[in-house]
Amino acid sequence: MNNLSDTLRRYPKTVGSVGILTTCAFILYDKHKFRRLVSKFFDESVAKTEKKSKPDYIYIKYHIYKESMRKLKQKEENDKKWISIIINPIGKWWKAVKHSVAWRLLNIAQNGSHHERLKAVRQLARIDHLKDWDFRHLAQICDARTAISLARSGADTRWFVPVHMKGCIKNPKLVLSELHDILSHMKKKKECVQNFFSRHFPEQDPVEDICEFFTQEQLITLTVQETDLLKEVTSFLHHVTKDSDLAQQFMKEGGLIHLMDLCKIFAEDNEALATLCKILANLSILPDSVEHFFSSGWAGVLAEWQQCPDLRLQVISAKTMANLDHDDPNYTPYPPNVYPLHPRSRTRSKPKADIVFVHGLMGGVFITWRQKDRKPNELSLYGKNAFYTSETDDVFLVGEQRRWKLNGNGDGNGKKSNSSPTTTSEEEAKAREDEIKNMEEAAAEIAKKEAENDKLLKAAKKPSTKTLEISDAATKELVETLRNEAELESDWEIVHPDVPLSASEESKGEFSVAGNKWLNQDNDEDYTNCWPMEWLPEDHPNVRVIGIDYTSALTEWSNFSKYCPCERGQGHIDVRAETLMERLAISEVGNDRPIVWIGHSMGGLLTKLILIKAKDSEDSKVQRLAESTRSIVFLGTPHRGSPIAKWKQHMQVILSPSIEVKEMEEDAPKLLTLHEQFMNSLQTCFRNVEILSIAEGAPTMLTSFKFPLHIVTEESARIDYGDFYVLKDDHLSLSKPIFRQSFLYQRLLRVIEETINKQKSAQPEHQVPANLIHQQEKQIKVPSTLTIQTLIYQMKDIFAFLPQLTFKFSTS
């Protein structure tokens, strides 16, 4: 052994060469294992991307270099001229002024009094002339309260710090694992969490040897099962965060950061984003949640969603920001099921009235109150409308985005909608790119055709030179007049398109409009998916419009309480009315202002039950719901039940009707008792409440059975109090006016206007101080022999209060 070591020492170079060759041979033999070992410490894909994106050398041509040096020298010479010597300091001074004004306003918004903060925020929201780096600097020194105030005032989105690691998407498998850990801590506190784990969320396998983050250019591999599981977890989080204790625990464990990861994953799925926004709305009502939202970057995202074309993201993000904006002088919290449709931003004055919309069975705040389509809708018992899932994005897009999608050109953002947030293969990605190109070509062709059609329409509006083959001279003259004149004169009278088929004797109009006030909107392409949100603010900007949203089902097959066994009884009308009543009281509905209730179908029954319970409540906030009610509009409300509910007697096994349907049977004892109590209240505590009832005059087509049916009969919808109309619309169309000059919408406007006017007349214009009234009473009782000196002293006392009255008038 010693001889061998001595021999090796004699030939060190030979031994070293053999060692190196042996090592290289070993690496080549097990190169796959070696590469896997190295990949744990280095990301090869990032290195390849950087190598491809960054060239080794940058070659600059000589003539380009020479030209750039000439311009630089020319600029130096121009700066030495006397004009530049005068102008440049002025420009620098102006930039410094603009910069310093924004800094001073931000300082006032952060440290000033409440009144000063409100004025500073209004001025900051108007600033849009600064550079990007100015906005970035201001955003970094902005605090949470000011950022939320700016977001609610419509400020530029550059006011907010971008989301942390915006271009990186966390591995969905890691997100699932982290959400699994958070929910596992809630098992002991909530039974529904255990039920969810047993059904949808089995024990999570340990995640090892996977990439933690992906860039936007990389393809994320995610199976359909994992995508569905992520959506199930998101929906369950929306349910479980309604519990304040669980919501507080979820937020303390970094839940907002995990929601941001989900937001990046579902960036193209508006349905999932709407559910995420509902979770944020549940968390925003918690105390001390403003700092959590600000530090996690949600303030900027919510500000962008308020300008999103999707209706759901607009309304739900506005609700979330309203809950966070504690600095608002008109601050009002909005718990679950309550959505502010108007105003969705800060206002200086308090609203003059609360308009509350309550939808019916299978409806929703984003479905029931849309404008009537040109094509009649059909009611599907087992389709998407059987259980409100909001699976169609095109329903919620507003304006041009929706019309563009209806033409077959993708979603409202000009991109093809994709329900899955990931791509599983390169072939699918290429196919998607080809499809998008085809969509763009089709959009260009459609735009070209629309432009040609516009030309044709403009040509068609010109007076026709074709002779009319009409024998009667008077009729011929009338037709020619209508063709040549663009607008009708005041002596014309236009009947509303949805004029009632019949009405009660005491019912009021108007059923027509003068010709000079008529706007022909038959060919108008403007369409609204929520007319209470877009039409009412234009006609009555000083009111607050609230939409109630609750989940309901027609059959037990689509039971909405799949997550929580304890909510299976929530379908009972008594329980639902109690919940909605408490949440409306939290939103301060009816606080020093009148309430107008508009209920469609089962929403009218809920309205009646809420008022009956509110008038007997011991809570003063709940009592205000009954005391402030001035008008109620019933749209197809089954006061005595609906014949459709009796189907359960014949098709119990097939339909398996839900709790809501069972309680709305025709002549059900509970409904008759409720109606009797409400009618008695109209003679006592609700005797000053105006009632408007509208019934359906056309049957509703049921697609599952292909036959027409009156869902609510005229006898059931009739209430022997107030105005009653029968329209020629079906049950679904009673909540959908065809356009703004329809009878339905104009009659609702009249109800709101009369309610506001009655409130104005009931309130005195100003309150005279009590001591002044006392002095006036003394003056009336003064005898005629009163001396002039005594009168002068009393007049001095009266004039002493005039400055107080003047100040009162100036601030009212």
Side-chain angles (χ1 to χ4, degrees), residues 530-782:
C530 186
W531 57 266
M533 186 182 77
E534 298 184 359
W535 290 357
L536 284 181
E538 296 181 6
D539 295 305
H540 292 285
N542 295 326
V543 301
R544 181 172 66 155
V545 183
I546 292 178
I548 302 299
D549 188 67
Y550 59 90
T551 315
S552 59
L554 186 62
T555 68
E556 290 293 340
W557 291 350
S558 54
N559 190 5
F560 66 89
S561 59
K562 59 181 179 179
Y563 297 124
C564 187
C566 61
E567 283 197 352
R568 289 176 181 171
Q570 292 292 325
H572 290 289
I573 189 171
D574 293 334
V575 179
R576 198 188 298 276
E578 188 78 26
T579 303
L580 295 178
M581 179 183 66
E582 294 175 355
R583 291 175 179 175
L584 285 171
I586 294 175
S587 299
E588 298 184 359
V589 175
N591 184 12
D592 296 332
R593 50 184 173 265
I595 307 175
V596 178
W597 299 85
I598 301 175
H600 175 250
S601 189
M602 192 177 74
L605 300 178
L606 286 171
T607 300
K608 293 196 301 182
L609 192 53
I610 288 173
L611 294 179
I612 294 296
K613 289 178 174 291
K615 72 180 182 65
D616 299 329
S617 176
E618 298 180 356
D619 190 349
S620 59
K621 289 187 176 181
V622 176
Q623 284 182 357
R624 283 193 310 221
L625 297 176
E627 296 172 355
S628 302
T629 297
R630 296 293 178 268
S631 302
I632 306 174
V633 180
F634 295 111
L635 303 176
T637 299
H639 298 287
R640 301 170 185 84
S642 172
I644 194 174
K646 282 193 173 182
W647 286 2
K648 77 178 190 67
Q649 299 176 359
H650 310 287
M651 306 181 70
Q652 179 78 28
V653 179
I654 300 177
L655 289 181
S656 183
S658 62
I659 297 175
E660 297 94 326
V661 176
K662 293 176 182 178
E663 289 187 336
M664 287 196 299
E665 289 183 13
E666 197 170 17
D667 297 329
K670 182 181 291 187
L671 291 185
L672 296 179
T673 303
L674 172 62
H675 186 61
E676 183 179 359
Q677 292 176 352
F678 182 72
M679 293 302 295
N680 293 335
S681 299
L682 289 178
Q683 306 300 329
T684 56
C685 57
F686 295 147
R687 58 181 176 273
N688 295 324
V689 175
E690 181 182 354
I691 302 295
L692 172 64
S693 302
I694 297 179
E696 60 196 74
T700 305
M701 298 299 297
L702 301 179
T703 58
S704 299
F705 299 97
K706 299 296 181 183
F707 68 86
L709 178 71
H710 281 275
I711 296 179
V712 179
T713 60
E714 181 179 343
E715 292 75 15
S716 181
R718 181 183 293 274
I719 179 172
D720 298 329
Y721 194 95
D723 293 354
F724 176 76
Y725 303 94
V726 179
L727 302 187
K728 57 183 178 181
D729 293 321
D730 60 9
H731 187 72
L732 298 179
S733 300
L734 286 181
S735 61
K736 302 173 180 63
I738 190 169
F739 42 74
R740 297 180 66 165
Q741 283 196 321
S742 64
F743 170 79
L744 175 61
Y745 180 69
Q746 293 298 322
R747 189 65 182 88
L748 293 178
L749 283 182
R750 182 174 177 180
V751 170
I752 298 172
E753 187 174 353
E754 290 177 352
T755 301
I756 295 176
N757 292 337
K758 286 181 181 179
Q759 186 72 9
K760 287 182 180 179
S761 61
Q763 293 179 350
E765 295 184 1
H766 60 274
Q767 295 179 356
V768 183
N771 48 5
L772 178 60
I773 297 175
H774 180 65
Q775 292 291 341
Q776 292 175 346
E777 290 176 352
K778 286 176 62 179
Q779 184 180 0
I780 295 173
K781 297 178 181 179
V782 168

Side-chain angles (χ1 to χ4, degrees), residues 289-436:
S289 59
V290 180
E291 292 292 341
H292 292 275
F293 273 82
F294 178 71
S295 60
S296 57
W298 276 110
V301 176
L302 291 171
E304 293 178 357
W305 282 354
Q306 286 182 323
Q307 304 174 4
C308 177
D310 192 289
L311 178 66
R312 295 164 297 180
L313 293 180
Q314 283 185 18
V315 175
I316 306 173
S317 61
K319 170 184 175 178
T320 307
M321 298 300 290
N323 290 337
L324 295 173
D325 190 11
H326 297 274
D327 211 32
D328 188 355
N330 299 321
Y331 171 73
T332 302
Y334 293 98
N337 303 116
V338 182
Y339 292 89
L341 303 179
H342 174 78
R344 300 195 305 276
S345 58
R346 277 189 176 183
T347 56
R348 299 189 185 183
S349 58
K350 291 185 178 181
K352 296 181 179 179
D354 284 334
I355 318 297
V356 183
F357 288 83
V358 189
H359 67 81
L361 187 66
M362 302 192 314
V365 68
F366 308 118
I367 291 180
T368 300
W369 312 110
R370 64 179 184 267
Q371 186 178 356
K372 184 179 180 180
D373 296 327
R374 294 294 183 264
K375 296 181 179 180
N377 292 331
E378 294 181 343
L379 177 63
S380 174
L381 295 181
Y382 303 105
K384 292 178 181 178
N385 290 335
F387 167 54
Y388 172 46
T389 56
S390 310
E391 292 179 354
T392 54
D393 289 344
D394 59 332
V395 176
F396 309 101
L397 297 177
V398 295
E400 294 291 337
Q401 290 82 8
R402 181 180 184 274
R403 290 198 297 275
W404 196 75
K405 183 167 184 178
L406 289 176
N407 289 331
N409 300 297
D411 62 7
N413 296 325
K415 297 178 289 187
K416 181 180 179 296
S417 60
N418 183 18
S419 59
S420 175
T422 58
T423 307
T424 56
S425 64
E426 295 182 359
E427 296 179 356
E428 292 181 2
K430 292 180 180 179
R432 183 177 303 167
E433 292 178 358
D434 296 338
E435 190 172 354
I436 292 175

